[in-house]
Amino acid sequence: MSKPYEVRADEVQPLSVLDTNGNVVNEAAMPKLSDEQLKELMRRMVFTRTWDQRAVNLTRQGRLGFYAPVSGQEATMIGSEFALNKDDFICPGYRDMPQIVWHGLPMYQAFLYSRGHQHGGQIPEGVHVLMPQIIIGAQILHAMGVAMAFKKRNEQRVAITYTGDGGSSEGDFYEGLNYAGAFKLPAIFVVQNNGYAITTPFSKQTAAQSIAHKAVAAGIAGVQVDGMDVLAVYKAVQEAAERGRSGNGATLIEAITYRYLPHSMSGDDPSKYRTKEETAEWEQKDPLHRFRIYLKNKGLWTDEEEAQVVEDAKATVADQIKKAETTEKMTIPGLIDSMFETTPKHLEEQKADYLA
Amino acid sequence: MAQMTMIQAIKDAMRVELQRDPNVVIFGEDVGKVGGVFRATEGLQAEFGEDRVYDTPLAESAIGGMAVGMAVQGFRPVMEIQFIGFIFEAFDQIAVQAARMRYRSGGRYNAPITIRTPFGGGVKAAELHTDPLEGLLVQTPGIKVVVPSNPYDAKGLLISAIRDNDPVFFMEHLNLYRSFRQEVPEGEYTVPIGKANVVREGSDVTIITYGAMVHTSLKAAEEIEKSRGVKVEVIDLRTLMPLDIDTIVESIKKTNRAIVVQEAQRTAGIAAEVIAQINEKAILHLEAPVLRVAPPDTVYPFAQIEDQWLPNPAKIVAGINQVLDF
């Protein structure tokens, strides 16, 4: 029993709907989704897994540049985006390509972003996302600001943003949550806790029991969810979105997940800091595996359907990388002209050097 | 027309813009109810409501992030950082996020943000309240930097800054806030960003300066005219980025000599860039090297020794004599 004047953090149990064998363990938390929506969730997860595998290969072939793998995090990424409306706004981190592509960014632009081409960031009109954020934590503040805009205009929209477990140690993480609490903003902060920030394990980020607990410091709702369980993630985000839309403020969602592949394709070697046993244990929790069984038991999914999705994904990736590779090359005058609305005289002069 | 101090002119500019454009919002630490620690926003919340003019929690990075998030949603934030030394807390949001938004998105998004910040020495303020950090900002691609030296320019430049569709860092010199009054027109008018102003005509030597040093330079110009009969031209840059090199070159064609006076340390500020551009564009018009009158490369001094550290008329006169006698 703690002393009444001491703040105590109890352990938290993640929200879970399916167990690792695809059995429903929490009927009360089962989101209301049609058979078609359930199949679409599976389709997107399978598609994203294949896309990720292809992207890793394309990186090795030098056809993609910076790439942060996502395999293992499909339930968190796909389930959370699926719970949004199309006019909700996503502020992604650098790993969060799947969310913004499923929200409307053409895949070839995601590939262009990876290759370091400006057109990758030219988000189409009507697609409500920002470009992937490299500065860990900055996107959390942007989501807070976007949510402020929604609140000021009385729009029934939410802003959602993603970071990893390492990102929860940043000052901007806390500032964003705290502002969202102080202004009661329609924002959803998702932390994808995959246990590692590059090589640093979660235990070295914080002595807190969980990241979800950090919501307490900001006075907002905090939720922990099994990030390998797409239905649980969907449910948590849907509730957070309702909370935001109804004027009841922001939510911090910690999704417990895992990445099967390296931190990025830029030289990280996970075997130096993770054991085979650990990875094998998390492979038992594969979000695709459990959802596949669940759907098969309901008669909603077949191996043929899955093979078809894999084929579709491969064909789409092949088509989209070609489109990226044949996109017109950038020029220095083009870059100069994208600095300001009106190019100042000194930049016009510098531009002339490249046009001569 | 009304007689206004610079701080009144600054408030008047914000009032004009709040009235004109419903997307203009003003926020920062203590800018709402009390109207700012220098009263730059006094009465604006009462007139326009808490929805338009509001206080934030004490966190500069979040103030910047809020501005960026609201800007991509079509608002026109005027954010205040209470004192210049605190911009380091917000530097990612100002120098990375806001400054690069248009470029990173290939024009899909922009950041029409005005960052108002008091700075400037001579007021014996506490640490990190007055540091001349304009050099850091000038070296940040994507951001414009404006430093008015008088009430008329302050109002016209601030209206231009708020209407600019790219981020503008608006530096307000503490020592100029209430030091004198000037005729300032009612209602709206603009002073263009990127245009310097010849505030004193002369034929023998050019002083290129900005902020409070405009006034110190004018004093020096009068002194040396009296003592030596030298006619000094004084250019108030008003905007440090983009720099109005044409006005500088035109003046040097006439005077053939120049010094740059700044409150920032020798290797900070804008002096080195001004001199480099003069070298590139007007070397054949120079009778002497262009010198800098600037404080030593130390940390900003303790209040007790501030007046010895900052350039004064005597140091500027010495600089002028040096280029005249070269």
Side-chain angles (χ1 to χ4, degrees):
Chain A
M1 187 70 188
S2 70
K3 296 170 191 151
Y5 50 84
E6 279 184 354
V7 177
R8 197 165 55 97
D10 292 321
E11 264 188 66
V12 63
Q13 279 297 314
L15 175 70
S16 168
V17 175
L18 297 179
D19 68 13
T20 53
N21 295 315
N23 301 310
V24 177
V25 292
N26 185 352
E27 192 62 56
M30 177 64 77
K32 286 182 182 56
L33 289 165
S34 68
D35 288 352
E36 245 342 284
Q37 287 175 308
L38 290 169
K39 289 177 68 115
E40 180 61 15
L41 270 176
M42 186 65 194
R43 200 181 77 78
R44 290 186 183 193
M45 286 205 292
V46 171
F47 189 107
T48 303
R49 175 70 57 89
T50 305
W51 161 21
D52 192 53
Q53 289 164 345
R54 297 298 303 148
V56 165
N57 285 340
L58 289 167
T59 306
R60 291 190 174 127
Q61 292 164 24
R63 297 173 74 189
L64 283 180
F66 172 73
Y67 187 73
V70 302
S71 286
Q73 299 186 203
E74 293 90 345
T76 300
M77 292 173 162
I78 306 302
S80 60
E81 193 281 331
F82 204 70
L84 303 174
N85 294 335
K86 275 299 162 203
D87 69 348
D88 292 331
F89 198 93
I90 301 179
C91 299
Y94 52 77
R95 198 179 301 281
D96 304 310
M97 279 297 184
Q99 296 96 305
I100 61 175
V101 167
W102 289 115
H103 213 58
L105 180 74
M107 187 189 280
Y108 85 97
Q109 287 190 264
F111 289 160
L112 283 172
Y113 177 83
S114 168
R115 291 165 63 89
H117 191 297
Q118 189 173 37
H119 183 49
Q122 284 176 318
I123 311 295
E125 286 289 336
V127 176
H128 301 284
V129 306
L130 273 180
M131 302 73 74
Q133 181 57 246
I134 291 291
I135 302 299
I136 294 170
Q139 74 274 27
I140 291 161
L141 297 179
H142 299 161
M144 175 272 286
V146 167
M148 188 74 172
F150 292 161
K151 181 175 174 162
K152 289 220 171 285
R153 292 194 175 128
N154 279 319
E155 294 175 336
Q156 302 293 299
R157 300 165 73 182
V158 298
I160 190 169
T161 185
Y162 300 84
T163 190
D165 40 311
S168 69
S169 301
E170 292 277 359
D172 284 351
F173 173 80
Y174 171 68
E175 289 189 20
L177 266 56
N178 188 56
Y179 266 52
F183 289 105
K184 221 170 190 188
L185 301 180
I188 305 171
F189 305 100
V190 180
V191 176
Q192 302 175 80
N193 185 349
N194 63 23
Y196 293 91
I198 310 190
T199 67
T200 306
F202 178 58
S203 62
K204 296 209 166 148
Q205 294 294 342
T206 180
Q209 295 236 9
S210 80
I211 291 168
H213 278 103
K214 297 192 176 201
V216 175
I220 65 172
V223 175
Q224 196 186 63
V225 63
D226 180 349
M228 307 298 262
D229 178 351
V230 71
L231 296 177
V233 172
Y234 179 91
K235 178 72 174 176
V237 175
Q238 190 193 41
E239 282 182 354
E242 269 168 32
R243 183 174 292 122
R245 286 187 222 289
S246 57
N248 290 311
T251 308
L252 169 64
I253 299 173
E254 178 188 21
I256 309 295
T257 183
Y258 198 74
R259 59 170 160 80
Y260 295 134
L261 296 168
H263 160 73
S264 79
M265 296 307 294
S266 313
D268 173 39
D269 176 6
S271 72
K272 294 215 167 112
Y273 55 89
R274 299 198 298 215
T275 61
K276 280 201 182 93
E277 293 71 35
E278 181 189 289
T279 307
E281 189 191 323
W282 278 94
E283 272 163 7
Q284 301 295 310
K285 300 178 185 174
D286 189 329
L288 273 60
H289 173 72
R290 72 176 77 176
F291 198 51
R292 186 184 292 122
I293 300 176
Y294 171 73
L295 290 185
K296 279 186 171 176
N297 288 343
K298 282 175 77 95
L300 291 174
W301 197 251
T302 64
D303 291 341
E304 292 71 33
E305 278 174 287
E306 181 148 341
Q308 188 58 52
V309 176
V310 171
E311 283 316 303
D312 288 350
K314 284 180 180 168
T316 303
V317 169
D319 170 66
Q320 294 288 294
I321 189 71
K322 217 167 274 167
K323 196 166 174 189
E325 286 171 334
T326 53
T327 298
E328 200 178 341
K329 293 204 164 32
M330 290 181 295
T331 66
I332 299 295
L335 290 185
I336 286 174
D337 280 337
S338 66
M339 287 294 300
F340 296 101
E341 180 177 50
T342 308
T343 302
K345 190 161 170 274
H346 71 287
L347 278 174
E348 285 291 353
E349 286 172 13
Q350 292 168 30
K351 200 168 94 185
D353 293 344
Y354 292 89
L355 295 171
Chain B
M1 297 283 264
Q3 286 281 325
M4 287 190 198
T5 61
M6 194 166 92
I7 197 121
Q8 288 170 330
I10 285 167
K11 177 167 74 184
D12 202 37
M14 287 189 272
R15 210 171 152 263
V16 165
E17 288 307 283
L18 282 164
Q19 234 157 21
R20 190 187 67 89
D21 184 347
N23 287 319
V24 172
V25 284
I26 293 173
F27 53 86
E29 294 156 10
D30 312 299
V31 304
K33 198 167 187 183
V34 78
V37 291
F38 295 104
R39 307 293 177 264
T41 52
E42 192 171 41
L44 295 181
Q45 187 182 75
E47 187 174 350
F48 296 96
E50 273 189 60
D51 225 34
R52 305 284 305 284
V53 182
Y54 56 94
D55 293 320
T56 63
L58 201 167
E60 288 78 12
S61 188
I63 293 171
M66 177 179 276
V68 172
M70 291 182 80
V72 298
Q73 285 299 317
F75 279 91
R76 201 169 274 282
V78 180
M79 58 176 266
E80 181 182 300
I81 299 289
Q82 202 162 65
F83 288 99
I84 186 86
F86 316 160
I87 67 166
F88 292 107
E89 301 293 323
F91 217 53
D92 175 58
Q93 291 297 335
I94 294 167
V96 178
Q97 308 299 337
R100 293 175 186 226
M101 185 60 76
R102 183 184 292 279
Y103 183 86
R104 289 184 64 230
S105 68
R108 169 64 174 86
Y109 295 114
N110 63 316
I113 298 169
T114 304
I115 304 127
R116 289 186 43 248
T117 306
F119 84 110
V123 295
K124 301 228 185 302
E127 276 187 280
L128 282 159
H129 282 51
T130 51
D131 295 45
L133 299 178
E134 59 272 23
L136 298 175
L137 297 154
V138 163
Q139 291 199 12
T140 300
I143 207 155
K144 295 174 183 171
V145 182
V146 171
V147 191
S149 69
N150 59 70
Y152 178 90
D153 284 351
K155 180 174 171 183
L157 282 166
L158 184 52
I159 291 176
S160 292
I162 295 171
R163 293 181 187 181
D164 199 291
N165 284 326
D166 291 300
V168 179
F169 202 94
F170 193 84
M171 301 180 69
E172 303 170 3
H173 201 290
L174 283 161
N175 217 3
L176 300 179
Y177 265 159
R178 293 186 174 84
S179 57
F180 65 100
R181 287 173 187 273
Q182 193 182 26
E183 288 287 327
V184 173
E186 310 277 355
E188 59 177 290
Y189 68 91
T190 57
V191 171
I193 290 174
K195 287 299 286 178
N197 190 23
V198 178
V199 291
R200 185 185 201 274
E201 303 236 2
S203 51
D204 298 326
V205 62
T206 301
I207 296 178
I208 299 138
T209 188
Y210 55 97
M213 285 299 123
V214 170
H215 304 282
T216 313
S217 297
L218 285 170
K219 275 187 201 135
E222 275 161 39
E223 279 180 26
I224 199 163
E225 183 165 358
K226 268 186 212 145
S227 62
R228 200 176 161 176
V230 174
K231 302 252 185 297
V232 181
E233 180 142 305
V234 179
I235 296 177
D236 177 359
L237 288 173
R238 299 197 290 198
T239 299
L240 306 187
M241 175 59 72
L243 191 66
D244 180 4
I245 191 66
D246 292 347
T247 298
I248 297 169
V249 168
E250 278 315 301
S251 178
I252 287 171
K253 280 183 182 169
K254 186 169 62 173
T255 61
N256 310 116
R257 288 178 168 84
I259 62 170
V260 185
V261 179
Q262 67 177 18
E263 207 171 304
Q265 299 88 325
R266 285 178 71 79
T267 43
I270 185 82
E273 176 62 21
V274 170
I275 293 167
Q277 290 201 35
I278 292 170
N279 268 334
E280 288 169 354
K281 299 189 177 191
I283 190 123
L284 294 177
H285 298 281
L286 288 175
E287 296 288 343
V290 183
L291 298 185
R292 286 177 280 193
V293 176
D297 283 318
T298 67
V299 172
Y300 194 87
F302 293 101
Q304 289 302 310
I305 203 167
E306 194 181 36
D307 51 352
Q308 293 178 50
W309 190 83
L310 289 167
N312 57 29
K315 286 178 184 164
I316 297 169
V317 165
I320 295 169
N321 279 326
Q322 223 179 314
V323 295
L324 286 172
D325 301 336
F326 177 76

